[in-house]
Amino acid sequence: MRQASGSPLGIEPRDNLSHVRGSTESPLSTATIAELLADTASRFADRPAVVFREQNVRWTWAQFNAEVDRFAAGLASLGLLPGDRLGIWSPNRVEWLVTQFATARIGVILVNINPAYRLHELEYALNASGCRAIVSAERLRASQYLDMLQTLAPELAQCEPGKLVSARLPALEFVIRMGGGRTPGMLGYDEVVSRGTAALDVPLLDSLTASLDCHDPINIQFTSGTTGNPKGATLTHHNVVNNARFVAQAMRFDERDALCVPVPLYHCFGMVMSVLACTATGAKMVFPGEVFDPSATLAAVSDEQCTALHGVPTMFIAELDVPEFAQYDLSTLRTGIMAGAPCPIETMKRVVSQMHMSEVTIAYGMTETSPVSFQSGTDDPLDRRVTTVGRVQPHLEVKLVDLDGNVVLVGETGELYTKGYSVMLGYWGDEPRTREAVSDGWMRTGDLATLDADGYCNIVGRVKDMLIRGGENVYPREIEEFLFRHPKVQAVQVFGVPDPKYGEEICAWIILKAGEQATEDEIRDFCRGQIAHYKIPRYVRFVDDMPMTITGKVQKFAMRDRMIEELRLVQDRTGRR
């Protein structure tokens, strides 16, 4: 591997190599999640902390801290111990938030379960992590959570609550259900709170918290690829507390801010970048509803006078397209984060101009790095904030490498590797896949990126997304950004499909703006003379929506599969994908 010639690394690349290290001016914290909350609750006891609009919940930091202690004491009274795993399966509800901090208070490892999971995925997540307990909502839309748990553990019908012995879920003992109803074999959430209230011994909780170490595992988040079972990224207090601190620092957050949180709590975006960033600074967190609704989000910003808003690009696009958009007062907005997927430049510009988010930041990362590695600053020039994901976060090291592991030159494309405090402990119970992902402290992200001479990073695609057409490397993100300039295009995704002559051909799925019509030839004509001929999509499809995960990430593999079926293409057998 090519090395720098002795010059110290910094936030800007040295010796024309794509290798940077973040600032170390602000020291890393050794606080656990519970210590972070306790400090904020003592400093800002009477300031607003938590608002769940659908549940009519409004707590100060002191009230929130007290609720956490009651539930933590309730969990401890059940016999849950440090290192035990507890699953949380719910949309955005206040019980989710309390559970996040209550488990951290007593050292129980929280296992985030995707609200979209069905039977097989739920069974896998609970067994792979060995959950002794689960806190579950009643339902989400058509997903009947309690019914699914009863299907997997029919023994619930006959067992005493807290004494489950299940054939299919052998580690699970406690099922704690939200809501006011009662279900055989399950404890009520309010019952556990009542137990905790009766047994509450704050000095005892404090001594238990004091016994915990910031490097202990405290959270397991399942991440899915296109093949194989989900992997349980295992994160420590040290991982997420520090990442949240630096995310908040980049937004210039303090106790006077109010953040609107429409992103899901089960994901790092909601749990770390939103909740823990607010906890690190004393900012108020506002939850518009259980699931994302663009109108409810705008109403929350307007009514609660939020200064910041988080979301993935598809969320911001939906908010901007709300017919009554002009009726909402968004003048208090200042900053926020757009992340989770590539951010179209035109959308970013509209967010700045129409939503008053002049200091909005772009963030990049992955669950395995807790999650943020790069983030733009509020004072970065607008062109940097709309075309890059900012510069490397403090105390992290990043390099871009080619297929041979050599660090590429500035401006060249390479796979992004991250090293530092944020890298996960590993995949829970999966040493082989951990070794594939992490080597010598470096987390291989699978993302393709470039670094410029000032250290600003641009994500150009996924290693697996990159397609090779007739020997030419093609990066879908570049074509997507170009097609997004078309006045009729609202959203676009570009991916490769098999081709006998060129190996792969380019396909574009396009969602048109309301009331617009276009033809395939019109889109191709728009490209001619503007981008290289080999980048012009051979296949163009106009669609009403894109297959997405619950977090708003587009599933290109699903699009590819559908096009292969529609066009009756023969999948190559090279194993490249």
Side-chain angles (χ1 to χ4, degrees):
M1 184 173 72
R2 287 175 286 174
Q3 300 289 339
S5 59
S7 299
L9 294 173
I11 200 167
E12 298 174 356
R14 297 294 177 93
D15 298 325
N16 202 36
L17 292 177
S18 295
H19 191 172
V20 291
R21 183 178 290 132
S23 167
T24 57
E25 182 177 349
S26 179
L28 290 168
S29 170
T30 58
T32 63
I33 292 172
E35 290 168 338
L36 185 75
L37 174 59
D39 178 66
T40 296
S42 67
R43 289 190 294 131
F44 306 117
D46 297 325
R47 291 194 66 87
V50 176
V51 176
F52 276 83
R53 286 165 62 86
E54 277 189 352
Q55 294 179 270
N56 196 30
V57 169
R58 291 179 179 274
W59 290 336
T60 63
W61 283 106
Q63 290 170 326
F64 176 43
N65 193 46
E67 291 288 339
V68 167
D69 275 2
R70 282 192 280 272
F71 193 55
L75 294 176
S77 75
L78 298 178
L80 291 172
L81 302 170
D84 284 342
R85 276 79 67 201
L86 177 147
I88 178 76
W89 195 28
S90 169
N92 284 9
R93 293 180 57 88
V94 71
E95 296 94 336
W96 207 114
L97 196 67
V98 172
T99 301
Q100 175 184 347
F101 286 87
T103 48
R105 181 81 155 107
I106 61 174
V108 168
I109 300 171
L110 185 70
V111 180
N112 299 11
I113 300 175
N114 189 324
Y117 273 3
R118 309 301 292 177
L119 282 171
H120 172 73
E121 298 155 317
L122 173 64
E123 181 178 10
Y124 177 82
L126 291 174
N127 286 336
S129 57
C131 283
R132 281 190 70 195
I134 183 172
V135 176
S136 175
E138 293 181 77
R139 68 179 65 86
L140 174 61
R141 295 172 176 160
S143 294
Q144 300 289 333
Y145 292 158
L146 302 185
D147 288 353
M148 283 191 270
L149 283 165
Q150 289 171 316
T151 298
L152 291 176
E155 299 91 346
L156 283 165
Q158 306 298 327
C159 79
E160 183 181 335
K163 295 186 178 180
L164 175 65
V165 178
S166 169
R168 292 180 67 177
L169 304 174
L172 192 65
E173 300 173 42
F174 307 97
V175 177
I176 303 168
R177 56 151 296 167
M178 301 177 191
R182 290 294 177 261
T183 305
M186 301 184 187
L187 293 160
Y189 178 90
D190 56 349
E191 290 181 78
V192 179
V193 172
S194 295
R195 289 177 63 127
T197 302
L200 184 61
D201 184 337
V202 174
L204 185 63
L205 283 177
D206 287 344
S207 65
L208 182 54
T209 298
S211 72
L212 306 177
D213 187 89
C214 68
H215 296 291
D216 291 338
I218 200 62
N219 183 220
I220 297 173
Q221 298 200 28
F222 283 96
T223 64
S224 297
T226 59
T227 60
N229 287 316
K231 299 169 288 186
T234 306
L235 306 177
T236 67
H237 300 268
H238 195 62
N239 289 150
V240 296
V241 165
N242 282 293
N243 207 258
R245 290 174 60 240
F246 294 129
V247 164
Q249 188 179 96
M251 291 188 292
R252 294 198 300 115
F253 250 31
D254 63 29
E255 71 276 9
R256 296 166 294 180
D257 281 298
L259 172 65
C260 183
V261 188
V263 295
L265 281 168
Y266 89 89
H267 191 268
C268 252
F269 200 162
M271 177 184 165
V272 180
M273 297 161 65
S274 301
V275 169
L276 289 180
C278 287
T279 307
T281 55
K284 179 173 75 170
M285 50 189 115
V286 177
F287 296 86
E290 289 192 353
V291 295
F292 173 67
D293 177 270
S295 296
T297 300
L298 295 175
V301 170
S302 180
D303 296 346
E304 306 292 338
Q305 297 187 306
C306 292
T307 59
L309 173 62
H310 284 180
V312 299
T314 51
M315 289 180 172
F316 282 100
I317 290 169
E319 290 153 11
L320 288 162
D321 289 343
V322 168
E324 301 81 20
F325 177 83
Q327 298 177 16
Y328 296 101
D329 180 8
L330 309 181
S331 61
T332 56
L333 281 177
R334 171 183 66 84
T335 187
I337 297 175
M338 192 189 299
C343 307
I345 293 170
E346 294 304 317
T347 298
M348 183 71 166
K349 290 178 178 177
R350 289 181 68 194
V351 167
V352 170
S353 63
Q354 297 177 35
M355 300 183 77
H356 306 282
M357 294 175 66
S358 59
E359 298 181 10
V360 66
T361 69
I362 294 291
Y364 159 81
M366 63 190 305
T367 303
E368 290 90 337
T369 56
S370 307
V372 177
S373 299
F374 282 86
Q375 188 172 356
S376 56
T378 58
D379 56 353
D380 278 342
L382 182 59
D383 68 310
R384 297 286 200 181
R385 282 187 283 140
V386 300
T387 59
T388 77
V389 293
R391 297 202 278 190
V392 65
Q393 278 275 36
H395 292 275
L396 297 180
E397 187 176 353
V398 169
K399 63 181 179 180
L400 308 184
V401 304
D402 61 21
L403 294 175
D404 297 320
N406 298 316
V407 177
V408 302
L409 298 175
V410 166
E412 292 183 355
T413 297
E415 183 179 357
L416 193 151
Y417 282 53
T418 301
K419 189 176 188 178
Y421 78 86
S422 72
V423 175
M424 66 174 181
L425 285 179
Y427 295 121
W428 185 268
D430 196 339
E431 186 59 32
R433 289 208 280 185
T434 298
R435 287 196 300 268
E436 288 176 10
V438 184
S439 177
D440 193 28
W442 289 101
M443 177 74 213
R444 180 178 181 177
T445 69
D447 287 315
L448 294 168
T450 61
L451 280 175
D452 68 17
D454 296 316
Y456 288 90
C457 179
N458 185 29
I459 305 299
V460 299
R462 294 282 296 167
V463 170
K464 291 183 180 179
D465 284 347
M466 186 190 80
L467 58 103
I468 302 175
R469 182 192 181 277
E472 296 280 3
N473 289 355
V474 177
Y475 303 103
R477 173 75 190 277
E478 178 187 358
I479 304 171
E480 289 164 359
E481 290 288 3
F482 174 76
L483 290 176
F484 204 86
R485 300 178 192 174
H486 194 291
K488 296 181 180 180
V489 171
Q490 175 176 301
V492 58
Q493 293 293 325
V494 171
F495 54 94
V497 294
D499 183 78
K501 181 178 179 181
Y502 293 105
E504 287 185 286
E505 266 292 4
I506 300 165
C507 179
W509 276 24
I510 292 173
I511 298 176
L512 295 172
K513 293 178 180 177
E516 296 287 1
Q517 291 184 333
T519 66
E520 295 181 34
D521 285 340
E522 181 180 346
I523 297 299
R524 283 189 281 263
D525 288 343
F526 180 74
C527 298
R528 290 190 177 97
Q530 302 297 318
I531 60 176
H533 69 90
Y534 62 85
K535 298 178 185 177
I536 298 174
R538 176 176 175 182
Y539 304 107
V540 177
R541 292 294 181 270
F542 300 103
V543 297
D544 295 326
D545 53 41
M546 312 274 190
M548 291 188 179
T549 67
I550 195 170
T551 56
K553 292 186 177 181
V554 175
Q555 296 175 311
K556 289 191 178 184
F557 70 92
M559 300 179 190
R560 176 181 169 89
D561 289 346
R562 281 165 60 178
M563 289 303 295
I564 289 172
E565 182 178 359
E566 175 189 329
L567 299 170
R568 298 182 180 180
L569 301 172
V570 178
Q571 176 77 302
D572 65 60
R573 299 191 181 187
T574 63
R576 200 182 68 79
R577 285 181 177 271

